[in-house]
Amino acid sequence: MPNKPPPKLARPRIVRTVAALRRSVMGYKAAGETVALVPTMGALHDGHLSLVRLARRRARRVIVSIFVNPAQFAPHEDLASYPRSFDADLAALAKANVDLVFAPAVEAMYPPGFALRIVPEGPAKAALEDAFRPDFFTGVATVVGKLLIQCAPTIAVFGEKDYQQLKVVTQLARDLDLPVKIIGAPIVREADGLAMSSRNAYLSEHERKAAPTLYRVLKDCAGRIKRGELPARVLDEGGAAIERAGFTLDYLEARHADTLRKIELPADAPIRLLVAARIGRTRLIDNVAV
Ligand code: PAF
């Protein structure tokens, strides 16, 4: 007996224009269906797929956007080399049972004459990522604001790995009175603790071996603060350990988990530890709860 070919997975519908996206969403809503949006820049890994699975559990229809947003890259950053793997992304999204992929061209998102920037404050000015990437959250807020208006989802799912970004988009949705619930999804890690990220692909073998230091240090610092040690001292030592592993440290900070304000005492809970550090040409970020 010849082997039966495996059953073909239904490809998600791919739409490239806002008008086509809106027609699909109107159809879902006319049928009384809830809609989840998972915004991505593609180069999907298990971290993204965990967002999709969460969305799948919480809504009848799941839309994934794939758009490498030029507005959130500074001229010296990696826009041109940012990993792109559209066919593999589509195959993964088909397996994850995604209904629709919104993959606009740059001109569809930012047509000639486009003249808007959403400049967020509050959590976007917490002196974390914004201190090193001054225009990043303007680019993120502008594109996420557009995506939330274009897709009009019931919920939108963002990873906690970009913790400050999660706070920024939550505030954005609240301040613009958008009728969407923003949901944060836990960080997905490799077996050795490294947080999954599309940018991990840039790491050399040697850098990849050093990379889990970030999570190890975060966990160690979190444990010590939980046991009552002063955050400032613990983080000084943690930062030194990160630099010894070959990183250049951008920041290692203890912040209030909700407001991102600076904290000084273990009692200033809930606390989130956040780190950003560079190794070779790669900049990695991570965070843990205390
Ligand atoms: O986290 C990302 O991948 C991006 O910043 C986002 C939210 C898709 C906006 O471009």
Side-chain angles (χ1 to χ4, degrees):
M1 282 273 283
N3 282 339
K4 258 201 194 160
K8 270 207 171 144
L9 289 167
R11 305 281 277 180
R13 195 170 135 68
I14 302 169
V15 300
R16 305 261 181 201
T17 65
V18 178
L21 172 70
R22 288 217 160 110
R23 276 196 298 277
S24 292
V25 173
M26 270 166 58
Y28 299 153
K29 293 208 163 167
E33 295 171 336
T34 51
V35 176
L37 170 67
V38 182
T40 80
M41 298 207 297
L44 302 182
H45 49 67
D46 273 358
H48 294 111
L49 297 176
S50 78
L51 309 184
V52 171
R53 282 193 295 273
L54 196 159
R56 189 69 284 164
R57 291 196 296 275
R58 301 283 289 262
R60 172 69 185 84
R61 297 288 184 174
V62 177
I63 300 177
V64 173
S65 62
I66 297 183
F67 180 65
V68 183
N69 174 34
Q72 69 191 69
F73 290 79
H76 66 277
E77 290 182 338
D78 55 343
L79 173 62
S81 60
Y82 193 83
R84 288 159 169 89
S85 53
F86 192 67
D87 289 344
D89 291 349
L90 274 190
L93 295 176
K95 260 194 180 157
N97 212 9
V98 162
D99 296 284
L100 188 146
V101 172
F102 178 45
V106 172
E107 302 70 43
M109 279 307 247
Y110 302 120
F114 182 85
L116 174 78
R117 287 186 323 145
I118 299 177
V119 185
E121 297 191 353
K125 300 280 187 221
L128 292 164
E129 282 304 283
D130 49 301
F132 296 87
R133 308 182 71 190
D135 298 321
F136 175 66
F137 288 120
T138 294
V140 168
T142 304
V143 81
V144 171
K146 282 175 69 79
L147 286 167
L148 292 177
I149 290 167
Q150 292 161 344
C151 297
T154 327
I155 63 169
V157 185
F158 294 82
E160 284 185 347
K161 185 177 145 291
D162 296 280
Y163 196 78
Q164 190 180 4
Q165 169 175 278
L166 173 61
K167 298 290 161 192
V168 171
V169 297
T170 303
Q171 178 97 35
L172 168 92
R174 190 186 311 144
D175 289 353
L176 287 175
D177 302 309
L178 297 176
V180 58
K181 186 171 168 48
I182 304 294
I183 297 179
I187 298 175
V188 178
R189 300 184 179 280
E190 303 287 357
D192 59 9
L194 176 65
M196 288 194 184
S197 162
S198 306
R199 290 190 168 101
N200 291 350
Y202 299 153
L203 296 168
S204 70
E205 206 182 318
H206 173 72
E207 291 160 358
R208 175 65 188 80
K209 280 199 181 123
T213 305
L214 294 186
Y215 181 54
R216 262 202 306 277
V217 168
L218 282 173
K219 274 211 333 200
D220 178 58
C221 292
R224 290 174 61 185
I225 294 170
K226 217 188 261 171
R227 290 191 293 275
E229 286 192 54
L230 279 182
R233 167 142 170 227
V234 168
L235 297 176
D236 265 1
E237 291 173 14
I242 288 171
E243 302 223 277
R244 276 198 304 279
F247 285 90
T248 304
L249 187 66
D250 280 354
Y251 59 80
L252 172 61
E253 296 254 353
R255 295 299 182 96
H256 190 277
D258 300 331
T259 63
L260 296 184
R261 75 176 156 75
K262 288 182 195 275
I263 62 101
E264 275 163 26
L265 300 172
D268 294 337
I271 299 174
R272 197 92 188 178
L273 303 185
L274 303 104
V275 69
R278 287 168 283 127
I279 188 160
R281 66 183 188 109
T282 310
R283 186 169 183 277
L284 299 176
I285 59 172
D286 200 350
N287 64 85
V288 296
V290 171

